[in-house]
Amino acid sequence: MYRDPALNDEFARLAALRRLEVLDTPPEEPFENVVALIRTVLGVPMAAVSLVDADRQWFKARSGIGAQETSRAVSFCTHTVAQREPMVIPDATQDERFTDNPLVRGELNIRSYAGVPLRTSEGYNVGSLCAIDTQTREFSPAEIAILDKFARIVVDELELRRIAGRDQLTGALTRRGFVESANQEIERFRRYGRPASLAMIDIDHFKSINDTHGHPAGDTVLRQVAAVLEAAKRPNDLLGRLGGEEFAMLMPETGSEAALAAADRFREAIASASIEPAPGVHLVVTASFGVAMLSPAICDAEHWVAAADVPLYAAKRGGRNRCVAAETSAS
């Protein structure tokens, strides 16, 4: 029997969801407009753009639903992402999967549901666009086709946001994209208390590279250093280019000691890389790192970046090509 790899690899599906960098972001007009239109066009009291995380469904947009998220265990949409076709339930009280579901028996009083998977260009179902009614009803093929078209609009918008948040030269997150991701990590820290660290990265003596070899060579160095960092980081780490020769690495689930060790691994990877800014020109490029662990005192991403800047400057003053963690000595 044929098994769809993208449907049967939950780890890869969650990684695809993470790459969209949308979880726990504020409401945005394009998605709000879609759910409002779904309610109007299909005549339902509830509609949502639901993203199915590891243990929850989180609503990027919702109308007629009070909660921002629910447990995945009670989610209708977790069943939708497990298939390619739309999932239609005319009467949830007669469906053995949902007959005792608290969303059916409780205050929401869900009776009928239609959901279309939000399928990324990579083939992963990261969530569902759903229409929900408190009355039993059949959703016609025409109504499902409308829902499907809106689902494609949602996916396009999600993926365009991701592209817009990428630096064209290096492929790293732009400052804006990185700040948004760091703010999401701060929100997760506040809610769940999970550790995270941020490393600021500055290429040593970059001005002399531009002055000696020209700005096109400098651009090549930036691209190659970014490629080295991308290859050395973990899948859940996020690399951003904050400006000029300055990069940052966001490291979820990472305390100060582990983050400093990771930064030193990144530093060694850059120093040992073969950087060729022009044919026949080989450079030894190094970088300095400053590491700051997330703490309750950090109020937003810019504050976090500033906290990592302090040890970064200490690393540069201490001779460069080294890593310093906040309130620690150089290594």
Side-chain angles (χ1 to χ4, degrees):
M1 179 182 295
Y2 171 73
R3 289 175 60 84
D4 187 331
L7 272 183
N8 294 284
D9 189 339
E10 178 66 2
F11 180 83
R13 190 194 70 80
L14 289 172
L17 175 59
R18 298 284 189 274
R19 284 193 292 274
L20 293 173
E21 297 157 12
V22 66
L23 289 173
D24 300 308
T25 56
E28 295 178 73
E29 186 176 358
F31 305 106
E32 298 293 323
N33 288 342
V34 165
V35 295
L37 284 168
I38 290 297
R39 282 190 64 180
T40 300
V41 175
L42 271 63
V44 292
M46 293 173 276
V49 174
S50 169
L51 300 173
V52 180
D53 201 359
D55 56 5
R56 61 172 175 157
Q57 71 167 346
W58 179 80
F59 300 121
K60 176 57 184 171
R62 66 199 192 280
S63 184
I65 300 172
Q68 179 69 69
E69 63 181 60
T70 74
S71 165
R72 183 171 175 178
V74 302
S75 165
F76 281 60
C77 295
T78 197
H79 296 272
T80 306
V81 300
Q83 61 188 54
R84 287 296 181 208
E85 300 302 317
M87 186 172 83
V88 181
I89 301 170
D91 185 351
T93 64
Q94 301 302 310
D95 189 308
E96 63 181 12
R97 295 170 296 178
F98 305 107
T99 183
D100 294 321
N101 190 299
L103 301 180
V104 175
R105 297 301 181 184
E107 184 178 348
L108 280 183
N109 193 38
I110 293 176
R111 286 297 176 269
S112 54
Y113 167 99
V116 172
L118 298 175
R119 182 181 182 182
T120 69
S121 57
E122 302 167 301
Y124 296 106
N125 291 345
V126 295
S128 170
L129 176 63
C130 56
I132 303 166
D133 206 331
T134 55
Q135 305 293 324
T136 60
R137 64 177 283 179
E138 297 284 348
F139 289 91
S140 71
E143 289 173 325
I144 298 301
I146 291 170
L147 200 60
D148 182 70
K149 288 180 180 178
F150 277 117
R152 293 172 189 269
I153 291 171
V154 168
V155 172
D156 287 346
E157 185 67 28
L158 288 170
E159 296 193 323
L160 282 172
R161 288 173 75 262
R162 180 187 173 198
I163 294 169
R166 294 283 168 179
D167 174 52
Q168 292 186 350
L169 177 65
T170 65
L173 291 172
T174 61
R175 185 180 189 97
R176 176 184 175 184
F178 187 85
V179 164
E180 288 179 357
S181 297
N183 279 327
Q184 291 173 38
E185 198 61 41
I186 291 170
E187 180 62 27
R188 277 192 281 269
F189 173 76
R190 288 172 178 161
R191 294 175 60 189
Y192 306 116
R194 304 303 303 168
S197 294
L198 186 152
M200 291 295 294
I201 308 161
D202 191 85
I203 299 176
D204 296 330
H205 306 296
F206 185 73
K207 183 177 183 300
S208 67
I209 295 174
N210 278 335
D211 292 345
T212 303
H213 302 284
H215 287 279
D219 287 348
T220 300
V221 169
L222 291 172
R223 281 195 297 269
Q224 293 184 10
V225 167
V228 169
L229 290 168
E230 280 287 348
K233 74 179 185 64
R234 302 170 304 178
N236 285 343
D237 295 337
L238 293 174
L239 176 67
R241 183 186 177 200
L242 303 195
E245 70 273 26
E246 193 172 63
F247 293 86
M249 187 74 77
L250 181 62
M251 294 175 280
E253 299 294 328
T254 309
S256 181
E257 184 176 344
L260 186 60
D264 202 53
R265 188 178 74 251
F266 300 149
R267 181 192 61 78
E268 290 180 353
I270 293 170
S272 62
S274 177
I275 304 295
E276 187 176 348
V281 177
H282 296 272
L283 297 179
V284 175
V285 175
T286 63
S288 301
F289 290 72
V291 178
M293 184 177 172
L294 186 55
S295 74
I298 292 173
C299 58
D300 58 28
E302 294 293 353
H303 187 190
W304 198 2
V305 167
D309 264 335
V310 174
L312 171 63
Y313 292 138
K316 292 164 74 174
R317 288 194 305 268
R320 303 178 189 267
N321 189 27
R322 62 186 58 205
C323 304
V324 174
E327 300 181 355
T328 69
S329 59
S331 65

